Amino acid sequence: PKVTGYADDIAVLGSSLHNQQLVLDAVDRTASALQLQFHPRKCVSLILEKGRVPGNLASPLSIHSLPIRTLLDGENEEYLGTPMGSRLLFRMPNTPSGKLDQLVGSGLAPCKN
């Protein structure tokens, strides 16, 4: 299993539900030792088998014995501003013209090599 984090967002990736639960329990124990607490109602899990969301999943993962919501086929959740789910979602990038206007108006000096 792999654990990645940025600020207060953590992702746990693994190849089996059993190992995922063990890692979640270990991360929760570490957080508790640091006086931090996870909120299961704010957590989601995405379970894929052979690239698809299996049917009949009733929240197999939990924190503090409280179930973590499992994403269904077609659902997504944003993680660090990127939609995650069983289907790829594409967003049109922000148009750079607004950002360029901000840069030009910032008063920054051009780079001289």
Side-chain angles (χ1 to χ4, degrees):
K2 304 280 186 211
V3 179
T4 65
Y6 181 79
D8 65 346
D9 289 319
I10 297 174
V12 179
L13 309 166
S15 59
S16 79
L17 289 173
H18 176 73
N19 286 342
Q20 287 295 98
Q21 188 61 60
L22 293 175
V23 171
L24 284 173
D25 293 342
V27 170
D28 184 48
R29 282 192 303 276
T30 302
S32 294
L34 297 170
Q35 298 182 348
L36 301 172
Q37 184 177 3
F38 291 104
H39 298 281
R41 70 181 183 282
K42 293 183 176 182
C43 300
V44 297
S45 66
L46 173 62
I47 299 168
L48 299 173
E49 290 179 0
K50 297 181 182 178
R52 297 183 184 271
V53 173
N56 312 19
L57 284 176
S59 300
L61 298 172
S62 63
I63 296 177
H64 311 301
S65 300
L66 298 171
I68 296 173
R69 181 173 70 91
T70 301
L71 293 178
L72 301 175
D73 189 31
E75 288 185 313
N76 68 66
E77 188 75 22
E78 285 205 10
Y79 177 68
L80 301 178
T82 302
M84 300 293 202
S86 61
R87 298 183 187 163
L88 293 176
L89 298 177
F90 296 97
R91 290 186 183 166
M92 294 302 293
N94 292 336
T95 56
S97 61
K99 300 287 184 193
L100 291 175
D101 291 340
Q102 288 178 341
L103 183 61
V104 169
S106 71
L108 292 172
C111 179
K112 293 181 181 179
N113 291 335

PDB file of all heavy atoms in Angstrom, residues 1-3 12-13 17-29:
ATOM      1  N   PRO A   1       0.829  -1.201   0.000  1.00  0.00           N
ATOM      2  CA  PRO A   1       0.000   0.000   0.000  1.00  0.00           C
ATOM      3  C   PRO A   1       0.867   1.256   0.000  1.00  0.00           C
ATOM      4  O   PRO A   1       1.962   1.266   0.522  1.00  0.00           O
ATOM      5  CB  PRO A   1      -0.803  -0.095   1.285  1.00  0.00           C
ATOM      6  CG  PRO A   1      -0.775  -1.525   1.675  1.00  0.00           C
ATOM      7  CD  PRO A   1       0.490  -2.070   1.125  1.00  0.00           C
ATOM      8  N   LYS A   2       0.336   2.299  -0.580  1.00  0.00           N
ATOM      9  CA  LYS A   2       1.004   3.603  -0.629  1.00  0.00           C
ATOM     10  C   LYS A   2       0.123   4.632   0.061  1.00  0.00           C
ATOM     11  O   LYS A   2      -1.099   4.589  -0.060  1.00  0.00           O
ATOM     12  CB  LYS A   2       1.219   4.049  -2.073  1.00  0.00           C
ATOM     13  CG  LYS A   2       1.976   3.062  -2.920  1.00  0.00           C
ATOM     14  CD  LYS A   2       3.444   3.155  -2.666  1.00  0.00           C
ATOM     15  CE  LYS A   2       4.156   2.245  -3.650  1.00  0.00           C
ATOM     16  NZ  LYS A   2       5.342   1.708  -3.139  1.00  0.00           N
ATOM     17  N   VAL A   3       0.737   5.557   0.771  1.00  0.00           N
ATOM     18  CA  VAL A   3       0.021   6.650   1.414  1.00  0.00           C
ATOM     19  C   VAL A   3       0.639   7.944   0.919  1.00  0.00           C
ATOM     20  O   VAL A   3       1.854   8.110   0.967  1.00  0.00           O
ATOM     21  CB  VAL A   3       0.112   6.576   2.955  1.00  0.00           C
ATOM     22  CG1 VAL A   3      -0.608   7.738   3.599  1.00  0.00           C
ATOM     23  CG2 VAL A   3      -0.435   5.252   3.460  1.00  0.00           C
ATOM     24  N   VAL A  12      -4.848   6.742   0.351  1.00  0.00           N
ATOM     25  CA  VAL A  12      -4.254   5.437   0.624  1.00  0.00           C
ATOM     26  C   VAL A  12      -4.573   4.553  -0.573  1.00  0.00           C
ATOM     27  O   VAL A  12      -5.728   4.371  -0.924  1.00  0.00           O
ATOM     28  CB  VAL A  12      -4.829   4.822   1.921  1.00  0.00           C
ATOM     29  CG1 VAL A  12      -4.217   3.467   2.187  1.00  0.00           C
ATOM     30  CG2 VAL A  12      -4.608   5.753   3.104  1.00  0.00           C
ATOM     31  N   LEU A  13      -3.533   4.029  -1.203  1.00  0.00           N
ATOM     32  CA  LEU A  13      -3.705   3.194  -2.392  1.00  0.00           C
ATOM     33  C   LEU A  13      -3.197   1.802  -2.100  1.00  0.00           C
ATOM     34  O   LEU A  13      -2.143   1.636  -1.496  1.00  0.00           O
ATOM     35  CB  LEU A  13      -2.921   3.791  -3.567  1.00  0.00           C
ATOM     36  CG  LEU A  13      -3.174   5.265  -3.852  1.00  0.00           C
ATOM     37  CD1 LEU A  13      -2.114   5.813  -4.784  1.00  0.00           C
ATOM     38  CD2 LEU A  13      -4.546   5.445  -4.444  1.00  0.00           C
ATOM     39  N   LEU A  17      -8.629  -5.007  -0.160  1.00  0.00           N
ATOM     40  CA  LEU A  17      -9.418  -4.324   0.871  1.00  0.00           C
ATOM     41  C   LEU A  17      -8.861  -4.604   2.261  1.00  0.00           C
ATOM     42  O   LEU A  17      -8.820  -3.720   3.115  1.00  0.00           O
ATOM     43  CB  LEU A  17     -10.878  -4.754   0.790  1.00  0.00           C
ATOM     44  CG  LEU A  17     -11.644  -4.228  -0.415  1.00  0.00           C
ATOM     45  CD1 LEU A  17     -13.028  -4.859  -0.488  1.00  0.00           C
ATOM     46  CD2 LEU A  17     -11.760  -2.721  -0.358  1.00  0.00           C
ATOM     47  N   HIS A  18      -8.430  -5.831   2.480  1.00  0.00           N
ATOM     48  CA  HIS A  18      -7.880  -6.195   3.793  1.00  0.00           C
ATOM     49  C   HIS A  18      -6.666  -5.325   4.116  1.00  0.00           C
ATOM     50  O   HIS A  18      -6.567  -4.751   5.211  1.00  0.00           O
ATOM     51  CB  HIS A  18      -7.510  -7.676   3.821  1.00  0.00           C
ATOM     52  CG  HIS A  18      -6.856  -8.088   5.099  1.00  0.00           C
ATOM     53  ND1 HIS A  18      -7.552  -8.213   6.290  1.00  0.00           N
ATOM     54  CD2 HIS A  18      -5.559  -8.378   5.387  1.00  0.00           C
ATOM     55  CE1 HIS A  18      -6.716  -8.570   7.250  1.00  0.00           C
ATOM     56  NE2 HIS A  18      -5.496  -8.679   6.721  1.00  0.00           N
ATOM     57  N   ASN A  19      -5.728  -5.211   3.171  1.00  0.00           N
ATOM     58  CA  ASN A  19      -4.542  -4.376   3.399  1.00  0.00           C
ATOM     59  C   ASN A  19      -4.911  -2.909   3.529  1.00  0.00           C
ATOM     60  O   ASN A  19      -4.306  -2.191   4.319  1.00  0.00           O
ATOM     61  CB  ASN A  19      -3.522  -4.582   2.285  1.00  0.00           C
ATOM     62  CG  ASN A  19      -2.803  -5.901   2.401  1.00  0.00           C
ATOM     63  OD1 ASN A  19      -2.800  -6.525   3.461  1.00  0.00           O
ATOM     64  ND2 ASN A  19      -2.219  -6.348   1.315  1.00  0.00           N
ATOM     65  N   GLN A  20      -5.891  -2.459   2.767  1.00  0.00           N
ATOM     66  CA  GLN A  20      -6.337  -1.069   2.875  1.00  0.00           C
ATOM     67  C   GLN A  20      -6.821  -0.774   4.289  1.00  0.00           C
ATOM     68  O   GLN A  20      -6.498   0.257   4.863  1.00  0.00           O
ATOM     69  CB  GLN A  20      -7.468  -0.779   1.891  1.00  0.00           C
ATOM     70  CG  GLN A  20      -7.043  -0.684   0.455  1.00  0.00           C
ATOM     71  CD  GLN A  20      -6.124   0.488   0.222  1.00  0.00           C
ATOM     72  OE1 GLN A  20      -4.915   0.321   0.194  1.00  0.00           O
ATOM     73  NE2 GLN A  20      -6.671   1.639   0.048  1.00  0.00           N
ATOM     74  N   GLN A  21      -7.623  -1.689   4.833  1.00  0.00           N
ATOM     75  CA  GLN A  21      -8.150  -1.473   6.178  1.00  0.00           C
ATOM     76  C   GLN A  21      -7.028  -1.458   7.204  1.00  0.00           C
ATOM     77  O   GLN A  21      -7.023  -0.641   8.120  1.00  0.00           O
ATOM     78  CB  GLN A  21      -9.189  -2.537   6.544  1.00  0.00           C
ATOM     79  CG  GLN A  21      -9.911  -2.238   7.846  1.00  0.00           C
ATOM     80  CD  GLN A  21     -10.679  -0.930   7.813  1.00  0.00           C
ATOM     81  OE1 GLN A  21     -11.568  -0.746   6.996  1.00  0.00           O
ATOM     82  NE2 GLN A  21     -10.337   0.004   8.695  1.00  0.00           N
ATOM     83  N   LEU A  22      -6.043  -2.341   7.050  1.00  0.00           N
ATOM     84  CA  LEU A  22      -4.897  -2.346   7.964  1.00  0.00           C
ATOM     85  C   LEU A  22      -4.146  -1.023   7.911  1.00  0.00           C
ATOM     86  O   LEU A  22      -3.743  -0.476   8.944  1.00  0.00           O
ATOM     87  CB  LEU A  22      -3.960  -3.510   7.634  1.00  0.00           C
ATOM     88  CG  LEU A  22      -4.500  -4.921   7.895  1.00  0.00           C
ATOM     89  CD1 LEU A  22      -3.495  -5.962   7.403  1.00  0.00           C
ATOM     90  CD2 LEU A  22      -4.829  -5.120   9.362  1.00  0.00           C
ATOM     91  N   VAL A  23      -3.948  -0.491   6.707  1.00  0.00           N
ATOM     92  CA  VAL A  23      -3.246   0.789   6.555  1.00  0.00           C
ATOM     93  C   VAL A  23      -4.085   1.924   7.140  1.00  0.00           C
ATOM     94  O   VAL A  23      -3.565   2.788   7.849  1.00  0.00           O
ATOM     95  CB  VAL A  23      -2.890   1.057   5.076  1.00  0.00           C
ATOM     96  CG1 VAL A  23      -2.353   2.466   4.885  1.00  0.00           C
ATOM     97  CG2 VAL A  23      -1.877   0.042   4.588  1.00  0.00           C
ATOM     98  N   LEU A  24      -5.384   1.933   6.868  1.00  0.00           N
ATOM     99  CA  LEU A  24      -6.254   2.969   7.450  1.00  0.00           C
ATOM    100  C   LEU A  24      -6.184   2.935   8.973  1.00  0.00           C
ATOM    101  O   LEU A  24      -6.112   3.985   9.621  1.00  0.00           O
ATOM    102  CB  LEU A  24      -7.696   2.776   6.998  1.00  0.00           C
ATOM    103  CG  LEU A  24      -8.030   3.205   5.581  1.00  0.00           C
ATOM    104  CD1 LEU A  24      -9.467   2.794   5.237  1.00  0.00           C
ATOM    105  CD2 LEU A  24      -7.855   4.698   5.405  1.00  0.00           C
ATOM    106  N   ASP A  25      -6.201   1.738   9.559  1.00  0.00           N
ATOM    107  CA  ASP A  25      -6.115   1.620  11.016  1.00  0.00           C
ATOM    108  C   ASP A  25      -4.786   2.156  11.533  1.00  0.00           C
ATOM    109  O   ASP A  25      -4.739   2.863  12.548  1.00  0.00           O
ATOM    110  CB  ASP A  25      -6.298   0.159  11.442  1.00  0.00           C
ATOM    111  CG  ASP A  25      -7.704  -0.369  11.164  1.00  0.00           C
ATOM    112  OD1 ASP A  25      -8.634   0.444  10.959  1.00  0.00           O
ATOM    113  OD2 ASP A  25      -7.864  -1.612  11.133  1.00  0.00           O
ATOM    114  N   ALA A  26      -3.690   1.844  10.830  1.00  0.00           N
ATOM    115  CA  ALA A  26      -2.366   2.323  11.249  1.00  0.00           C
ATOM    116  C   ALA A  26      -2.263   3.844  11.125  1.00  0.00           C
ATOM    117  O   ALA A  26      -1.741   4.517  12.021  1.00  0.00           O
ATOM    118  CB  ALA A  26      -1.273   1.644  10.426  1.00  0.00           C
ATOM    119  N   VAL A  27      -2.770   4.398  10.020  1.00  0.00           N
ATOM    120  CA  VAL A  27      -2.745   5.854   9.831  1.00  0.00           C
ATOM    121  C   VAL A  27      -3.608   6.527  10.895  1.00  0.00           C
ATOM    122  O   VAL A  27      -3.226   7.562  11.453  1.00  0.00           O
ATOM    123  CB  VAL A  27      -3.211   6.222   8.402  1.00  0.00           C
ATOM    124  CG1 VAL A  27      -3.428   7.714   8.262  1.00  0.00           C
ATOM    125  CG2 VAL A  27      -2.206   5.739   7.372  1.00  0.00           C
ATOM    126  N   ASP A  28      -4.735   5.927  11.228  1.00  0.00           N
ATOM    127  CA  ASP A  28      -5.608   6.489  12.257  1.00  0.00           C
ATOM    128  C   ASP A  28      -4.929   6.460  13.633  1.00  0.00           C
ATOM    129  O   ASP A  28      -5.010   7.434  14.382  1.00  0.00           O
ATOM    130  CB  ASP A  28      -6.936   5.733  12.291  1.00  0.00           C
ATOM    131  CG  ASP A  28      -7.908   6.351  13.269  1.00  0.00           C
ATOM    132  OD1 ASP A  28      -8.091   7.588  13.237  1.00  0.00           O
ATOM    133  OD2 ASP A  28      -8.490   5.594  14.080  1.00  0.00           O
ATOM    134  N   ARG A  29      -4.241   5.369  13.945  1.00  0.00           N
ATOM    135  CA  ARG A  29      -3.524   5.301  15.224  1.00  0.00           C
ATOM    136  C   ARG A  29      -2.439   6.371  15.298  1.00  0.00           C
ATOM    137  O   ARG A  29      -2.261   7.024  16.328  1.00  0.00           O
ATOM    138  CB  ARG A  29      -2.908   3.908  15.426  1.00  0.00           C
ATOM    139  CG  ARG A  29      -3.890   2.853  15.868  1.00  0.00           C
ATOM    140  CD  ARG A  29      -3.184   1.578  16.337  1.00  0.00           C
ATOM    141  NE  ARG A  29      -2.304   1.010  15.321  1.00  0.00           N
ATOM    142  CZ  ARG A  29      -2.692   0.202  14.341  1.00  0.00           C
ATOM    143  NH1 ARG A  29      -3.967  -0.121  14.213  1.00  0.00           N
ATOM    144  NH2 ARG A  29      -1.816  -0.276  13.480  1.00  0.00           N
TER     145      ARG A  29
END
